[in-house]
Amino acid sequence: MPAYRPGKDAAQAEEEHGIVEAIKLASNETPWGPVPSVVEVVSDAAAGTNRYADHRATAVRERLADWMSVAVDQVTVGCGSVGILQQLLLTYVDPGDEVLYPWRSFEVYPVFTKLVDGVEVAVPLKDETFDLEAVAAAATEKTKIILLSNPNNPTGTAVSMAEIKTLLETVSPDTIVVLDEAYREFMSDDLGNPIPDLIGDHPNLLVLRTFSKAQGLAALRVGYGIGHPEVIESIDKTLFPFAVNGLAQTAAIASIDAHDQVMERVEFIKGERGRVATALADAGWSVPSPQANFVYLPLGARADEVYLELEKSGVVTRPFTGEGIRVTIGTAEENDRFLETLLG
Ligand SMILES: Cc1ncc(COP(=O)(O)O)c(C=O)c1O
C-alpha cells in the first residue's frame, strides 16, 4: 500500500540542510492567509467548537447551490475535495473494478484505488497533457471511474469542456467521470465550465472543487462536489461523521461572500505565473502551458538533482523522480527567488 507523500515544508528543509529563510513552493497553496473577513468569522466561530457542527454542512450546500445555479441535491461538501474522492471510490469501486486515469497525475489517485482494492489503469500523458482518445480506448465494462485532474497536477495543462464532452459521449454512461478541478479559479475561461456546460446532460459527471487553493483554506479542509442527485445521495452515505468541521463550514460561506477579493488575488497569481513562464521560456526552458497556480519543469532524469540544488538554496519545490519538478507560484519576491536560484 503506497502512502500519500505531502510536499516538504520550509522548516523541514531548513533543518535538513542547515539553512535559514527557506521558502515553500511545494504544495500549490496560496502564499497568503484567507481574506481578512474570513479570518474574522473563523476567529469568532472558534468559541463554539464544543458543539458538533452540522454533519451535512447544509448551509454550505445551500450557499453553493445558489452560487452555482444548481439544485441543492446536486451538491455535496466534504473534508477537502480528496475527502469526497475517497467517499466516491468507497461507494462505487468493488475489488477488481478498474479506476482509469491519465498518468502522471495527482498522487492520491493510485493510493485511493489501492485502498478499495481497485485495479489501476494508467494512460500515459502525451506532450505533458491528457490523451483523451487513449483514455476512451482504455475504458472497459469494468471501468467504474475515470479521474481527470483538470488542470493536471503536476503538469499544469488543461483540456477544454468540448474535449471532455467528446469523452463523455464515448464512454459508458455507467462509468463515473470525475473532473477534479482543484485549480479551477486559475484556468482560462475559454476552456469552458462543466457546471453550466456539461452537468445537465451527463448524469455520470462529477465535478470536484475546493476551498484549499484559491481561497487559502487548505488547513481547514473543505471541498465540494457537483453532480447528479443520485450520485450525491450515494456518496453522502460514506461521509465520515462530522467530517466537515464547523470552522471550515463558516469559512467556506464567508469565502463565497468574499469571492471578488479572492479573484483579485487569483488575478495576481495568474500574472506572476505568466511572468515566471516567460522568464523560463526566455532562458530556453520548455514549460507546458500552465493553467493552475504552478509551473512544471519536465527535467526527466535530472529532476532529483535540480530539486535538491534548489532546496539546498532554500527553494522547496515538489520533485517527481525521473520526470520533473513542480513549482508553486508564490509572492513576487518568492518567484524572483526561484528564478534567480534556477537561472543564476
Ligand atoms: C488535483 C488535486 N485535487 C485535489 C487536491 C486537494 O484538494 P483538497 O485540499 O480540497 O483535498 C489537490 C491538492 O494538491 C490537487 O492537486
Side-chain angles (χ1 to χ4, degrees):
M1 182 71 211
Y4 177 68
R5 287 181 302 118
K8 197 180 280 185
D9 68 29
Q12 275 172 290
E14 287 173 358
E15 201 179 307
E16 259 177 53
H17 302 293
I19 53 174
V20 290
E21 293 182 1
I23 55 168
K24 182 189 184 196
L25 301 176
S27 296
N28 300 339
E29 300 137 334
T30 53
W32 312 285
V35 298
S37 57
V38 174
V39 176
E40 200 179 309
V41 294
V42 170
S43 309
D44 292 347
T49 50
N50 56 314
R51 302 284 178 201
Y52 289 110
D54 173 16
H55 170 66
R56 285 177 58 82
T58 311
V60 185
R61 290 181 194 230
E62 286 171 354
R63 187 75 175 82
L64 281 165
D66 186 44
W67 190 38
M68 299 279 145
S69 304
V70 295
V72 73
D73 62 1
Q74 290 178 277
V75 183
T76 190
V77 176
C79 182
S81 58
V82 292
I84 302 174
L85 188 65
Q86 190 182 75
Q87 289 177 249
L88 182 78
L89 269 76
L90 286 169
T91 306
Y92 285 99
V93 181
D94 290 324
D97 287 341
E98 291 171 3
V99 179
L100 172 61
Y101 39 81
W103 192 256
R104 164 69 64 177
S105 194
F106 185 28
E107 300 252 309
V108 152
Y109 299 164
V111 177
F112 282 3
T113 303
K114 287 232 165 61
L115 189 67
V116 293
D117 242 339
V119 175
E120 293 170 64
V121 181
V123 176
L125 300 179
K126 195 161 119 191
D127 299 328
E128 312 295 354
T129 193
F130 298 159
D131 180 353
L132 290 182
E133 276 179 27
V135 169
T140 71
E141 75 280 358
K142 293 192 110 192
T143 309
K144 281 287 169 71
I145 295 180
I146 298 177
L147 299 174
L148 301 171
S149 161
N150 197 44
N152 188 40
N153 174 5
T155 58
T157 53
V159 293
S160 70
M161 292 314 119
E163 292 166 276
I164 298 291
K165 188 174 168 57
T166 305
L167 177 78
L168 285 162
E169 285 165 353
T170 314
V171 300
S172 161
D174 292 333
T175 301
I176 294 184
V177 177
V178 176
L179 265 188
D180 180 351
E181 294 196 319
Y183 305 98
R184 170 80 220 170
E185 290 83 352
F186 303 98
M187 266 171 84
S188 161
D189 289 339
D190 298 344
L191 294 166
N193 182 341
I195 295 173
D197 300 352
L198 298 174
I199 282 282
D201 290 337
H202 299 281
N204 57 331
L205 175 65
L206 180 70
V207 178
L208 296 182
R209 292 185 181 171
T210 184
F211 289 94
S212 296
K213 307 294 180 183
Q215 286 80 6
L217 301 184
L220 279 179
R221 313 303 301 122
V222 53
Y224 56 102
I226 311 281
H228 190 273
E230 264 179 43
V231 175
I232 299 295
E233 192 185 348
S234 301
I235 60 181
D236 275 348
K237 290 178 184 162
T238 59
L239 179 65
F240 187 85
F242 310 109
V244 188
N245 73 76
L247 301 185
Q249 295 188 30
T250 302
I253 293 173
S255 291
I256 299 172
D257 290 342
H259 186 63
D260 289 349
Q261 260 175 292
V262 168
M263 290 312 285
E264 276 171 31
R265 292 172 165 204
V266 166
E267 284 310 313
F268 177 84
I269 294 288
K270 283 165 72 177
E272 282 294 293
R273 177 182 74 191
R275 185 172 75 83
V276 170
T278 303
L280 291 169
D282 289 350
W285 288 79
S286 160
V287 176
S289 171
Q291 286 288 333
N293 63 341
F294 53 87
V295 291
Y296 182 70
L297 307 181
L299 284 153
R302 292 182 58 217
D304 278 358
E305 175 197 337
V306 175
Y307 155 75
L308 193 62
E309 287 307 313
L310 282 170
E311 193 174 283
K312 283 185 191 161
S313 304
V315 179
V316 185
T317 63
R318 185 68 181 264
F320 299 90
T321 300
E323 295 175 67
I325 62 175
R326 192 191 69 198
V327 187
T328 306
I329 301 296
T331 62
E333 296 72 28
E334 288 170 338
N335 303 329
D336 283 342
R337 176 135 170 231
F338 158 63
L339 289 171
E340 280 157 20
T341 310
L342 183 78
L343 306 177

